[in-house]
Amino acid sequence: MKRVLIIAYYWPPAGGSGVQRWVKFSKYLPSQGWQPVIYTPLNPEITSVDETLLADIPAEAEVIKTRIVEPYSAYRMIMGSKQSTDMKTLMNDGKTAATGGEVNPINNDGRLSLKKRLSLFIRGNFFIPDPRVWWVRSSVKYLKKYLKEHPVDVIVTTGPPHSMHLIGRRLAKETGLPWIPDFRDPWTKIFYYKHLHLTAWADRKHHRLEQAVLDDAAAVLTVTPAVQADYQARTKTPVEMITNGFDTDDFAAEPQKHEGFNVVHTGLFAAAGNPTAFWDLLAGRCARDEEFRSALRIRLSGKTDAEIFEAIRERGLDANLVDNGYVNHETAVREQRSADLLLLPLRQEPEYAMILPGKLFEYLAAKKLVLGIGQPDGACAKVLDETGAGEMYGWEDSEGMESVLDKAWKAYRDGTDPVVPERLEKYSRKALTERLAILLDSVRRAE
């Protein structure tokens, strides 16, 4: 069996859509003739834990772990544990653990304390591309020795964190192996990049490293058409796109139906995507329609910013709110399938038009009506339109949002399903892994 070395910072029991992408690839790679060999930290700084993902790791997979040194322990000694958590949040691409705080404080930098702003400046300018850069040298040294005794055919790195790509680039140069960097998010065009307060020197270094990764790879992998087009315009290296998707196995069980009319959101819910016009719409409908008010359940499952809760409560919707907090992937799928309306608010950042959130594809598989709130001409809107799964409206387009809400409410009252998305098979994890295997075979043969 051919072997692929996958270098990933996040791996189960860590949770999140980035983890699911490569766990699911690994699940189906053996059926395509590829054995996954995963290299990951023994002691990563993870933002959430999901033990259920461990069941998807195939018996054929080999998982290698080494200890990583990160800056948080030194910072803790200097600043104390609370400030260390602040730095960890800011350095961890703005994502907190499931126990509290903001989902993404990086794009709230104007309201940060002086210490937090200092942490953000340090994160952007002294740890390039990210705090995991301290793991690069030791990983290359370890993996060179490992590969002499346990050869592989292809190297894959997945980021962010983009330090993983620096490991792959150096390892490929020193071993001659073909290497594919997988960009789950863009590097310098990610929505929070502009909030890092970079010096001109640091900005140039980020761009220089990004370009080197693009130019030195055997092929580049992205998850959205916009990022694929952007990267292909900047390099002669072939740039391929394999989106995120859904695993049919996760949706095999019968759905659990909750009482009432359920408006469901799963995953990270950041203040930058707070759909205030939609909350206003719900509050107005509740004031006019007692039946709607009694039936409405706003079910949030995942890490949610405090501002979201405040906005809901300010509009008198406290009694309609069901906050499940952080849940594992299995529970998130059950919540999606129990929905009468799935809520998909995007962040109010222009760069987010390029993004396809991982939850989008599971929303499609849940076969429930989706209300998207974001860029009507963005990548996400195109998928909703292509599949017939829902509609995307701008953040202030109350009329458009109400049209979708009306469809969902009517279907709820009639006891019918308002939507059955079409053309979904190409987004199944199995089909996507078949495409990945073709890409792996092509760079292997090219070498």
Side-chain angles (χ1 to χ4, degrees):
M1 185 177 285
K2 296 161 289 188
R3 284 162 50 92
V4 54
L5 172 64
I6 302 163
I7 301 174
Y9 182 81
Y10 298 109
W11 194 253
S17 59
V19 184
Q20 292 168 32
R21 177 172 171 83
W22 281 94
V23 168
K24 298 297 188 180
F25 278 147
S26 296
K27 176 180 177 179
Y28 290 110
L29 275 171
S31 67
Q32 301 298 314
W34 285 89
Q35 179 192 12
V37 180
I38 298 92
Y39 175 71
T40 192
L42 178 66
N43 57 324
E45 294 285 352
I46 59 177
T47 60
S48 58
V49 173
D50 188 349
E51 300 281 355
T52 65
L53 292 174
L54 292 169
D56 281 324
I57 301 174
E60 295 90 343
E62 179 180 348
V63 181
I64 309 163
K65 297 185 178 184
T66 65
R67 186 167 295 277
I68 187 172
V69 177
E70 297 188 84
Y72 309 121
S73 57
Y75 190 83
R76 185 181 298 114
M77 293 175 61
I78 299 171
M79 304 297 286
S81 60
K82 174 61 169 66
Q83 286 78 17
S84 175
T85 299
D86 295 339
M87 186 190 193
K88 185 188 300 184
T89 297
L90 292 166
M91 286 189 162
N92 213 19
D93 296 338
K95 297 175 184 177
T96 64
T99 54
E102 295 173 291
V103 168
N104 198 324
I106 286 180
N107 40 344
N108 292 331
D109 58 292
R111 288 173 286 168
L112 297 178
S113 67
L114 178 61
K115 285 181 179 178
K116 288 184 179 180
R117 288 198 299 272
L118 176 60
S119 296
L120 186 57
F121 180 83
I122 293 171
R123 178 253 190 268
N125 292 280
F126 290 88
F127 298 94
I128 299 174
D130 50 66
R132 284 79 190 198
V133 71
W134 286 4
W135 200 41
V136 173
R137 183 178 298 178
S138 62
S139 294
V140 173
K141 181 179 179 180
Y142 175 88
L143 288 172
K144 280 179 62 180
K145 181 179 179 181
Y146 169 85
L147 291 174
K148 287 181 180 178
E149 301 172 359
H150 311 276
V152 300
D153 297 274
V154 180
I155 300 168
V156 171
T157 54
T158 179
H162 298 302
S163 288
M164 303 304 102
H165 301 321
L166 303 189
I167 296 173
R169 177 174 176 253
R170 190 178 301 181
L171 193 61
K173 282 182 174 292
E174 297 192 19
T175 63
L177 286 167
W179 157 60
I180 302 172
D182 171 46
F183 286 89
R184 301 190 318 274
D185 287 314
W187 187 329
T188 57
K189 290 190 177 181
I190 188 66
F191 63 92
Y192 58 75
Y193 182 81
K194 61 180 178 290
H195 298 297
L196 292 176
H197 300 295
L198 299 175
T199 63
W201 173 85
D203 181 57
R204 286 194 300 271
K205 186 170 182 180
H206 274 282
H207 280 86
R208 187 170 64 251
L209 287 173
E210 181 182 37
Q211 191 63 47
V213 167
L214 296 177
D215 291 342
D216 292 345
V220 173
L221 186 57
T222 68
V223 300
T224 73
V227 177
Q228 179 189 25
D230 176 57
Y231 278 166
Q232 192 62 84
R234 294 161 58 184
T235 184
K236 295 180 180 179
T237 304
V239 181
E240 305 295 335
M241 182 195 69
I242 300 179
T243 66
N244 287 315
F246 62 88
D247 190 347
T248 306
D249 290 350
D250 294 340
F251 293 82
E254 286 296 316
Q256 176 185 352
K257 179 62 178 174
H258 297 296
E259 180 184 348
F261 174 69
N262 294 285
V263 177
V264 171
H265 180 276
T266 62
L268 295 177
F269 202 163
N274 191 3
T276 54
F278 182 67
W279 306 140
D280 288 336
L281 177 63
L282 293 182
R285 180 71 65 92
C286 285
R288 298 190 307 271
D289 186 337
E290 174 61 25
E291 181 187 3
F292 183 85
R293 185 194 66 77
S294 298
L296 176 64
R297 305 288 187 274
I298 304 170
R299 300 184 64 88
L300 307 182
S301 297
K303 178 60 187 166
T304 302
D305 255 337
E307 289 186 28
I308 306 295
F309 294 126
E310 291 171 9
I312 292 172
R313 288 165 180 152
E314 283 172 359
R315 289 157 176 81
L317 298 171
D318 308 55
N320 307 98
L321 175 62
V322 180
D323 174 27
N324 294 315
Y326 174 77
V327 299
N328 61 34
H329 180 242
E330 183 179 303
T331 303
V333 168
R334 287 202 300 268
E335 285 292 312
Q336 292 160 9
R337 299 188 71 196
S338 76
D340 297 289
L341 179 63
L342 286 165
L343 187 60
L344 185 64
L346 306 183
R347 299 173 195 247
Q348 296 190 50
E349 302 271 2
E351 298 88 349
Y352 224 77
M354 304 171 67
I355 301 298
L356 289 173
K359 78 184 74 173
L360 165 64
F361 301 98
E362 295 195 333
Y363 278 15
L364 299 182
K367 297 185 177 179
K368 302 294 182 178
L369 185 61
V370 180
L371 170 58
I373 303 175
Q375 295 90 344
D377 59 348
C380 199
K382 289 181 173 63
V383 173
L384 289 177
D385 182 62
E386 170 208 351
T387 59
E391 300 171 44
M392 177 75 67
Y393 291 99
W395 289 276
E396 303 303 323
D397 190 348
S398 299
E399 184 177 343
M401 296 179 205
E402 187 166 23
S403 69
V404 180
L405 181 63
D406 286 343
K407 291 179 186 177
W409 176 240
K410 183 179 187 303
Y412 166 76
R413 295 185 71 198
D414 294 346
T416 60
D417 197 333
V419 64
V420 178
E422 301 175 352
R423 298 179 291 278
L424 294 186
E425 179 54 33
K426 69 177 182 178
Y427 297 121
S428 75
R429 296 287 189 181
K430 186 174 182 180
L432 295 169
T433 305
E434 290 173 2
R435 292 179 54 200
L436 174 64
I438 292 171
L439 177 60
L440 295 175
D441 284 333
S442 71
V443 298
R444 178 175 179 263
R445 285 196 296 266
E447 297 294 318

